[in-house]
Amino acid sequence: MRAETLDQVTRSAATAINDVDTTALPGFMRQLDHAALLAMARTLGRNGLFRPGVSHRWDQIADRLRVAPRHRWILRRWLTALNDEGLLQRDETTRFVHDLRAVGRSEAADAAAFVDEAARGLGYPAEMARFFLTAIEQLPRLLRDEVAVQALLFPDGDLTTAEGAYKDNVINRYLNAAAVDLLRGECRRAGGTLRVLELGAGIGGTTAAVVPALADEAVDYLFTDVSEFFLDAGRQRFGDRLRYGILDINSDEPVQSGSADVVLAANVLHNSVHIGQVLARLRDLLAPGGLLVVIESCREHYQAMTSMQFLMSPREGEPQPGATDVRAGTDRIFLTRDEWLAELTAAGFAPQLDLPDPTHPLAALGQHVFAARNDELEQP
């Protein structure tokens, strides 16, 4: 990818948020995470489990709280986070945990009171703040699988709240602007119809930014997801400008080699059971010199651990994301920035772009856009 193209993408992303004081963003993110962390501690402390001098294995805690089997990985992540933040003690030899710091109702409420302000500061609409707060209130029931987080994120099938998570906020304005310019560049490079495959398109948060920007270009755009719910929503929103299809990134079905010039994957590849195998299939699917554009969270925020990560629990009998790759044994869903760059390279991609820069205030929000070619020699 030419240097001038990379510079243009970087400028476009920055311009998309030039009305934002980015230096304030890390503080807003910390406010959300602080409220979530205290909510975790309060949820665990409600059942009298952590009396002075008493230790527990994580599975004993899960049994006592009646955590659903498919959500137990989330509990383990909570225990790690609370230990890392000094709110819980864990014996690294026995793996027993003890001495959870008591979090009172008023302390948790004081932290939650800043959620609206923090959400606004990050560009989230009011619906997302309500979602965060409702998820915190419902944590015991979410853990027990008595309420599904989908019911909170898509109330009565409405997509407004979810759009706040994937489109209407500062970081996604930035990332989507970068994705738009990357695809515009590929249109200029193609010299004909550009074949775009979007994976896990979901509510179309990235699609809604890309498709209008390419309206005057020759593009064959395939919108895919694992759910007919999202395909139907896509048809209603984008009509016959796009093609639609079911596609599961973890499927072992053979791919049609060279069938796409660009693969766009926004907030979906973390669902890979083995990221290396999925990337290898995507490399085969792309035409020579084709471009993979990935938008991903590279940092695990506590706010997500009390809300969005409930979406990532596998159904009964299905493997957990990351079960057999670099994340195995950690219960982590998200790869780090360095892990993404390493996995892309190992799968035969040549990374071309990585935004934001790790030193930029936006990096505190933890989301990145990566662009990589499926061979090292870029076509002229």
Side-chain angles (χ1 to χ4, degrees):
M1 189 175 292
R2 294 182 175 89
E4 57 267 28
T5 301
L6 297 177
D7 289 343
Q8 178 58 49
V9 172
T10 302
R11 286 195 301 271
S12 294
T15 300
I17 58 167
N18 61 8
D19 59 333
V20 176
D21 176 10
T22 57
T23 62
L25 299 177
F28 290 133
M29 196 70 245
R30 284 194 297 271
Q31 286 180 322
L32 287 185
D33 279 347
H34 181 61
L37 194 70
L38 294 187
M40 292 179 207
R42 183 159 172 76
T43 299
L44 297 185
R46 285 176 175 175
N47 291 268
L49 276 167
F50 291 92
R51 295 188 301 275
V54 178
S55 298
H56 301 280
R57 297 191 310 271
W58 79 266
D59 56 323
Q60 293 173 324
I61 298 169
D63 290 343
R64 182 74 169 268
L65 298 177
R66 294 186 288 126
V67 179
R70 74 190 193 99
H71 291 323
R72 292 194 169 200
W73 71 275
I74 292 178
L75 174 65
R76 292 193 294 267
R77 294 305 297 161
W78 284 15
L79 295 174
T80 296
L82 291 166
N83 178 75
D84 290 345
E85 295 292 340
L87 274 71
L88 180 76
Q89 300 299 313
R90 179 173 60 195
D91 188 304
E92 295 299 332
T93 302
T94 65
R95 310 301 289 177
F96 275 65
V97 295
H98 54 91
D99 291 331
L100 175 72
R101 183 169 80 73
V103 174
R105 182 188 301 273
S106 61
E107 183 183 7
D110 288 346
F114 286 99
V115 166
D116 282 324
E117 175 191 0
R120 283 196 303 272
L122 293 165
Y124 290 117
E127 290 85 358
M128 275 304 291
R130 286 198 292 271
F131 167 68
F132 295 150
L133 291 169
T134 302
I136 283 173
E137 293 169 359
Q138 295 286 337
L139 281 179
R141 298 186 66 207
L142 284 168
L143 286 172
R144 295 193 295 265
D145 227 2
E146 294 173 355
V147 61
V149 74
Q150 288 90 335
L152 309 182
L153 189 60
F154 307 105
D156 300 319
D158 185 78
L159 301 181
T160 303
T161 302
E163 285 183 345
Y166 296 113
K167 186 184 72 167
D168 299 326
N169 57 74
V170 172
I171 188 61
N172 278 292
R173 281 164 51 194
Y174 175 89
L175 299 172
N176 288 344
V180 164
D181 250 32
L182 285 165
L183 266 70
R184 280 176 174 156
E186 292 305 287
C187 287
R188 292 191 295 269
R189 182 175 178 272
T193 298
L194 186 75
R195 300 167 299 170
V196 178
L197 167 62
E198 183 173 2
L199 302 173
I203 64 165
T206 301
T207 323
V210 169
V211 168
L214 303 181
D216 296 329
E217 306 286 354
V219 176
D220 173 37
Y221 200 111
L222 178 56
F223 178 111
T224 72
D225 201 277
V226 295
S227 167
E228 285 288 355
F229 171 81
F230 292 123
L231 295 188
D232 289 342
R235 291 185 184 99
Q236 292 178 24
R237 187 171 192 176
F238 304 110
D240 60 6
R241 288 179 290 175
L242 314 182
R243 294 187 296 118
Y244 304 88
I246 292 288
L247 195 153
D248 182 353
I249 61 171
N250 289 310
S251 172
D252 290 330
E253 294 181 9
V255 299
Q256 184 178 349
S257 296
S259 59
D261 301 306
V262 175
V263 170
L264 175 59
N267 298 298
V268 61
L269 293 185
H270 58 256
N271 290 309
S272 303
V273 175
H274 191 291
I275 187 61
Q277 293 174 1
V278 170
L279 289 175
R281 285 196 291 272
L282 296 183
R283 185 177 185 275
D284 188 43
L285 186 150
L286 279 163
L291 190 70
L292 173 64
V293 179
V294 176
I295 293 175
E296 272 294 340
S297 293
C298 299
R299 178 178 173 184
E300 187 177 50
H301 285 295
Y302 302 144
Q303 170 270 313
M305 291 168 65
T306 57
S307 56
M308 299 295 284
Q309 285 192 208
F310 283 92
L311 289 171
M312 302 166 196
S313 293
R315 295 188 180 92
E316 185 177 355
E318 294 183 353
Q320 185 173 327
T324 57
D325 63 21
V326 67
R327 297 164 288 173
T330 69
D331 290 311
R332 285 191 299 121
I333 289 291
F334 303 118
L335 286 79
T336 67
R337 170 181 174 270
D338 288 345
E339 285 172 340
W340 272 113
L341 294 172
E343 291 291 337
L344 287 166
T345 301
F349 285 95
Q352 310 271 298
L353 177 79
D354 163 26
L355 291 175
D357 186 275
T359 63
H360 195 284
L362 276 175
L365 277 60
Q367 288 191 280
H368 285 253
V369 57
F370 303 95
R373 296 227 179 259
N374 75 337
D375 60 9
E376 296 183 1
L377 297 177
E378 180 178 350
Q379 304 295 316

